[in-house]
Amino acid sequence: MSQSLTRQQIYDRIKASSKDSYILEEMKRLGFWQETSTPSLPEQLIQKEAVLQQELQELLAKDRKYGNQEAMLREMRKKRMQEAKAKREVTKQKNEQKLQDKADHWKTLQQQQIIYLGENVSKGLHKTDSDTEKLLQFSLPVFENILDFSQKSGYSLSVIKYLAFHRRVSKKSHYHVFEISKKSGGKRKISAPKSQLKGFQQWILDNILNKILVGEVVHGFTAKKSIVTNAEPHLGKDIIINIDLQDFFPSISYKRVKGLFVKLGYSEQLATIFALACTHAHTEEALLDGVKYFVHKGDRFLPQGSPASPAISNSIAYKLDKRLQGLALKLGFVYTRYADDLTFSTNDDNEQNINKLLYFVKQIIKDENFTVHPDKLHIMRRKNQQKVTGIVVNEKLNVERNKLRKFRALLHNIEVNGWQNQTWGKAFHLINAIEGYINFINMVNPSKALIFREKLNMIIAKHGKPIVETGKEIPEKVEIIEVSEVKEEIIAPKEDKTDWWNIF
């Protein structure tokens, strides 16, 4: 006996074919329907209906399947859009955070580093490693980086960047630029730093440059040396040769100044900053729409007027001095240098070496990237007046007699007629020029200087001081190199006796 079907099984069979087909099959199974070789018409109809019903079910199933797929696709698209939107939001937040982190990092860098100082000068600012061993060896201050330098020097990073920034065109200038007349004719351009930059240059001078030991042949702008000590070695010599270097400061470029600080042991970052602060470029003023602009012409160089320039020039000329001193000793000459004024002296029995000396001196000067002034090479013999940096050295150190006579006459004229229409050379300020010349005389002959100083005091008591002519004012405290009549700035004595030849 066959097992009875459950309600669900009966439903599934009817669903798979049709109700009539199920009944027909059950009737045949139970013997209520007589089967023949040829199905009767009702049986055929039922079977056909079952086939159609099955096909219909398959079509409905496919329809449901495709409908579900479209819904599923719509759902998938919706889900993907939601995921993409969420991803975009996350990406947006990440990008915003990156921008914020970048801004914070930039702000931190600005507070701790200087990474840009202008076009073509910022390449090495990321190199912060100094040669500590060399710096300590030469008793120079050590700075880990620009932030360390800022803290030790007292200058903020913003001020350092402002003073050192290199601009081809700017609305501001760190220099007073003016011209003074040269004794030999023409004009000398002076670039005197304004107070803030001058203070920074003075810090570099006091804490770094003044610690550099210059050669013994150097007498300009160094401790316990003067135009007098420069003249003394040549006293009583038969032959004196004077050679001037042309455009001494302008020939010392920014790259040479930066190279000096690197050779001393400072990182490229610090060397760049020091060199930018101590150099300048020729500047022209341009007026555009009522606004004044300062336009740089050419490359940066050592300005005449900076307190740091003389010390830098002495250090850069160190190798030049060593080579010229060696040449002079070999050929039987005495050599000294005061700024751009080179002096060689010897006696008559060594005259045959003069041409050889001059040939090699010119070669060495050229090799060291300097230039001999074509109009300032003089050979002075003992039968004529011999002068070294303005001091007569024939028999004893003395002031030029003719000039002394003219100076005495000037003071007499002022005493009789007053200050009006009186001149001394091409000086802007007559009283400053007179005081400067008395100081010069004092270096050579203090007793004569005392007489002239008393005379000047009498003139001032009688006529007062002259009124400074408007438009000829020179900025205060400007150091100008004039090798013959200069009151030198006193520089602290150097205790470090290291031979700096080794660093060049």
Side-chain angles (χ1 to χ4, degrees), residues 40-78:
S40 63
L41 180 60
E43 184 177 359
Q44 291 178 11
L45 290 173
I46 291 171
Q47 290 175 349
K48 186 67 174 178
E49 182 186 11
V51 171
L52 292 174
Q53 183 66 26
Q54 188 174 5
E55 290 178 353
L56 178 62
Q57 292 295 332
E58 290 177 354
L59 290 173
L60 290 173
K62 288 181 179 180
D63 182 64
R64 286 194 299 273
K65 179 179 178 182
Y66 291 136
N68 289 339
Q69 283 182 345
E70 289 178 2
M72 191 185 329
L73 287 173
R74 286 195 299 271
E75 186 66 25
M76 288 174 64
R77 291 192 190 100
K78 182 179 179 181

Coordinates of all heavy atoms in Angstrom, one line a residue, residues 40-78:
S40 N -7.6 9.3 -24.9 CA -8.9 9.9 -25.3 C -8.7 11.5 -25.3 O -7.7 12.0 -24.8 CB -10.0 9.6 -24.3 OG -9.6 10.1 -23.0
L41 N -9.7 12.1 -25.9 CA -9.7 13.5 -26.0 C -9.6 14.2 -24.7 O -8.7 15.1 -24.5 CB -10.9 14.0 -26.8 CG -11.0 15.5 -27.1 CD1 -9.7 16.0 -27.9 CD2 -12.3 15.9 -27.8
P42 N -10.4 13.9 -23.7 CA -10.2 14.6 -22.4 C -8.8 14.4 -21.8 O -8.3 15.3 -21.2 CB -11.3 13.9 -21.5 CG -12.3 13.4 -22.5 CD -11.6 12.9 -23.7
E43 N -8.3 13.1 -22.0 CA -7.0 12.9 -21.4 C -5.9 13.7 -22.1 O -5.0 14.3 -21.5 CB -6.6 11.4 -21.6 CG -5.3 11.0 -21.0 CD -5.0 9.5 -21.1 OE1 -5.9 8.8 -21.6 OE2 -3.9 9.1 -20.6
Q44 N -6.1 13.9 -23.5 CA -5.1 14.7 -24.2 C -5.2 16.2 -23.8 O -4.2 16.9 -23.7 CB -5.4 14.6 -25.7 CG -5.1 13.3 -26.3 CD -5.5 13.2 -27.8 OE1 -5.8 14.2 -28.4 NE2 -5.4 11.9 -28.3
L45 N -6.4 16.6 -23.6 CA -6.6 18.0 -23.1 C -6.0 18.3 -21.8 O -5.3 19.3 -21.5 CB -8.1 18.4 -23.1 CG -8.8 18.5 -24.5 CD1 -10.3 18.6 -24.3 CD2 -8.2 19.6 -25.3
I46 N -6.2 17.3 -20.9 CA -5.6 17.4 -19.5 C -4.1 17.5 -19.6 O -3.4 18.3 -19.0 CB -6.1 16.3 -18.6 CG1 -7.6 16.5 -18.3 CG2 -5.3 16.3 -17.3 CD1 -8.2 15.3 -17.6
Q47 N -3.5 16.6 -20.4 CA -2.0 16.5 -20.6 C -1.5 17.8 -21.2 O -0.5 18.3 -20.8 CB -1.6 15.3 -21.4 CG -1.8 14.0 -20.7 CD -1.5 12.8 -21.6 OE1 -1.4 12.9 -22.8 NE2 -1.5 11.6 -21.0
K48 N -2.3 18.3 -22.2 CA -1.8 19.5 -22.9 C -1.9 20.7 -21.9 O -1.0 21.6 -21.9 CB -2.8 19.8 -24.1 CG -2.4 21.0 -24.9 CD -1.1 20.7 -25.6 CE -0.7 21.8 -26.6 NZ 0.6 21.6 -27.3
E49 N -3.0 20.7 -21.1 CA -3.1 21.7 -20.1 C -1.9 21.7 -19.1 O -1.4 22.7 -18.7 CB -4.4 21.6 -19.3 CG -4.7 22.7 -18.3 CD -5.9 22.4 -17.5 OE1 -6.5 21.3 -17.6 OE2 -6.3 23.3 -16.8
A50 N -1.5 20.4 -18.7 CA -0.4 20.3 -17.8 C 0.9 20.8 -18.4 O 1.7 21.5 -17.7 CB -0.2 18.8 -17.4
V51 N 1.1 20.5 -19.7 CA 2.3 21.0 -20.3 C 2.3 22.6 -20.4 O 3.3 23.3 -20.1 CB 2.5 20.5 -21.7 CG1 3.6 21.2 -22.5 CG2 2.7 19.0 -21.7
L52 N 1.1 23.1 -20.8 CA 1.0 24.6 -20.8 C 1.2 25.2 -19.5 O 1.8 26.3 -19.3 CB -0.4 25.0 -21.4 CG -0.6 24.6 -22.9 CD1 -2.0 24.9 -23.3 CD2 0.4 25.4 -23.8
Q53 N 0.6 24.5 -18.5 CA 0.7 25.0 -17.1 C 2.2 25.0 -16.6 O 2.6 26.0 -16.0 CB -0.1 24.1 -16.1 CG -0.1 24.6 -14.7 CD -0.8 26.0 -14.5 OE1 -1.7 26.3 -15.3 NE2 -0.4 26.7 -13.5
Q54 N 2.9 24.0 -17.0 CA 4.3 23.9 -16.6 C 5.2 25.0 -17.3 O 6.0 25.6 -16.7 CB 4.9 22.5 -17.0 CG 6.3 22.3 -16.5 CD 6.8 20.9 -16.8 OE1 6.0 20.1 -17.4 NE2 7.9 20.5 -16.3
E55 N 4.8 25.2 -18.7 CA 5.5 26.3 -19.4 C 5.2 27.6 -18.8 O 6.1 28.5 -18.7 CB 5.1 26.2 -20.9 CG 5.6 25.0 -21.6 CD 5.1 25.0 -23.1 OE1 4.3 25.9 -23.4 OE2 5.6 24.1 -23.8
L56 N 3.9 27.8 -18.4 CA 3.5 29.1 -17.7 C 4.3 29.3 -16.4 O 4.8 30.4 -16.2 CB 2.0 29.0 -17.5 CG 1.5 30.3 -16.8 CD1 1.7 31.5 -17.6 CD2 0.0 30.1 -16.5
Q57 N 4.4 28.2 -15.7 CA 5.2 28.3 -14.4 C 6.6 28.7 -14.7 O 7.2 29.5 -13.9 CB 5.1 27.0 -13.7 CG 3.7 26.6 -13.1 CD 3.2 27.6 -12.1 OE1 4.0 28.2 -11.4 NE2 1.9 27.8 -12.0
E58 N 7.2 28.1 -15.7 CA 8.6 28.4 -16.1 C 8.7 29.9 -16.5 O 9.7 30.6 -16.1 CB 9.1 27.5 -17.2 CG 9.2 26.1 -16.7 CD 9.7 25.1 -17.9 OE1 9.7 25.7 -19.0 OE2 9.9 24.0 -17.6
L59 N 7.7 30.4 -17.3 CA 7.7 31.8 -17.7 C 7.6 32.7 -16.5 O 8.3 33.7 -16.4 CB 6.6 32.0 -18.7 CG 6.8 31.4 -20.1 CD1 5.6 31.6 -21.0 CD2 8.1 32.0 -20.8
L60 N 6.7 32.3 -15.6 CA 6.5 33.2 -14.4 C 7.7 33.2 -13.6 O 8.1 34.2 -13.0 CB 5.3 32.6 -13.6 CG 3.9 32.9 -14.2 CD1 2.8 32.1 -13.4 CD2 3.6 34.3 -14.3
A61 N 8.4 32.0 -13.5 CA 9.6 31.9 -12.7 C 10.7 32.8 -13.3 O 11.4 33.5 -12.6 CB 10.1 30.5 -12.6
K62 N 10.8 32.8 -14.7 CA 11.8 33.6 -15.4 C 11.4 35.1 -15.1 O 12.3 35.9 -14.9 CB 11.8 33.3 -16.9 CG 12.5 32.0 -17.2 CD 12.5 31.7 -18.7 CE 13.2 30.4 -19.0 NZ 13.2 30.2 -20.5
D63 N 10.1 35.4 -15.2 CA 9.7 36.8 -15.0 C 10.1 37.3 -13.6 O 10.6 38.4 -13.5 CB 8.2 36.9 -15.3 CG 7.7 38.3 -15.1 OD1 8.1 39.2 -15.9 OD2 7.0 38.6 -14.2
R64 N 9.8 36.4 -12.7 CA 10.2 36.8 -11.3 C 11.7 36.9 -11.2 O 12.2 37.8 -10.5 CB 9.7 35.7 -10.3 CG 8.2 35.7 -10.1 CD 7.8 34.9 -8.9 NE 8.2 33.5 -9.0 CZ 7.4 32.6 -9.6 NH1 6.2 32.9 -10.1 NH2 7.8 31.3 -9.7
K65 N 12.4 36.0 -11.9 CA 13.9 36.1 -11.8 C 14.4 37.4 -12.3 O 15.2 38.1 -11.7 CB 14.5 34.9 -12.5 CG 16.0 34.9 -12.5 CD 16.5 33.7 -13.3 CE 18.0 33.7 -13.3 NZ 18.6 32.6 -14.1
Y66 N 13.9 37.8 -13.6 CA 14.3 39.0 -14.2 C 13.9 40.2 -13.4 O 14.6 41.2 -13.2 CB 13.8 39.1 -15.6 CG 14.5 38.1 -16.5 CD1 13.7 37.4 -17.4 CD2 15.9 37.9 -16.5 CE1 14.4 36.5 -18.3 CE2 16.5 37.0 -17.3 CZ 15.7 36.3 -18.2 OH 16.3 35.4 -19.1
G67 N 12.7 40.2 -12.8 CA 12.3 41.3 -12.0 C 13.1 41.5 -10.8 O 13.5 42.6 -10.4
N68 N 13.5 40.3 -10.2 CA 14.4 40.3 -9.0 C 15.8 40.9 -9.4 O 16.4 41.6 -8.6 CB 14.5 39.0 -8.4 CG 13.2 38.5 -7.7 OD1 12.4 39.4 -7.4 ND2 13.0 37.2 -7.6
Q69 N 16.3 40.5 -10.6 CA 17.6 41.0 -11.0 C 17.6 42.5 -11.2 O 18.5 43.2 -10.7 CB 18.0 40.3 -12.3 CG 18.4 38.9 -12.2 CD 18.8 38.3 -13.5 OE1 18.5 38.8 -14.6 NE2 19.5 37.2 -13.5
E70 N 16.5 43.1 -11.8 CA 16.5 44.5 -11.9 C 16.4 45.2 -10.6 O 17.1 46.2 -10.4 CB 15.2 44.9 -12.8 CG 15.4 44.5 -14.2 CD 14.1 44.8 -15.0 OE1 13.2 45.4 -14.4 OE2 14.1 44.5 -16.2
A71 N 15.6 44.6 -9.7 CA 15.6 45.2 -8.3 C 16.9 45.1 -7.6 O 17.3 46.0 -6.9 CB 14.5 44.5 -7.5
M72 N 17.5 43.9 -7.9 CA 18.8 43.7 -7.3 C 19.8 44.7 -7.9 O 20.6 45.3 -7.1 CB 19.3 42.3 -7.6 CG 20.5 41.9 -6.7 SD 21.3 40.3 -7.1 CE 19.9 39.3 -7.6
L73 N 19.8 44.9 -9.2 CA 20.7 45.9 -9.8 C 20.5 47.3 -9.3 O 21.4 48.0 -9.0 CB 20.5 45.9 -11.3 CG 21.1 44.6 -12.1 CD1 20.7 44.7 -13.5 CD2 22.6 44.6 -11.9
R74 N 19.1 47.6 -9.1 CA 18.8 48.9 -8.6 C 19.4 49.0 -7.2 O 19.9 50.1 -6.8 CB 17.3 49.1 -8.6 CG 16.8 49.4 -9.9 CD 15.4 50.0 -9.8 NE 14.4 49.1 -9.2 CZ 13.7 48.1 -9.8 NH1 13.8 48.0 -11.2 NH2 12.9 47.4 -9.2
E75 N 19.2 48.0 -6.4 CA 19.7 48.0 -5.0 C 21.3 48.1 -5.0 O 21.9 48.8 -4.2 CB 19.3 46.7 -4.3 CG 19.6 46.7 -2.8 CD 18.8 47.7 -2.1 OE1 17.8 48.2 -2.5 OE2 19.4 48.1 -1.0
M76 N 21.9 47.3 -5.9 CA 23.4 47.3 -6.0 C 23.9 48.7 -6.4 O 24.8 49.2 -5.8 CB 23.9 46.3 -7.0 CG 23.7 44.8 -6.5 SD 24.1 43.6 -7.8 CE 25.9 44.0 -8.0
R77 N 23.2 49.3 -7.4 CA 23.6 50.6 -7.8 C 23.4 51.6 -6.7 O 24.3 52.5 -6.4 CB 22.7 51.1 -9.0 CG 23.0 50.3 -10.3 CD 22.4 51.0 -11.5 NE 22.4 50.2 -12.7 CZ 21.4 49.5 -13.1 NH1 20.2 49.5 -12.5 NH2 21.5 48.8 -14.2
K78 N 22.3 51.5 -6.0 CA 22.1 52.4 -4.8 C 23.1 52.2 -3.7 O 23.7 53.2 -3.2 CB 20.7 52.1 -4.3 CG 20.3 53.0 -3.1 CD 18.9 52.7 -2.6 CE 18.5 53.6 -1.4 NZ 17.1 53.2 -1.0

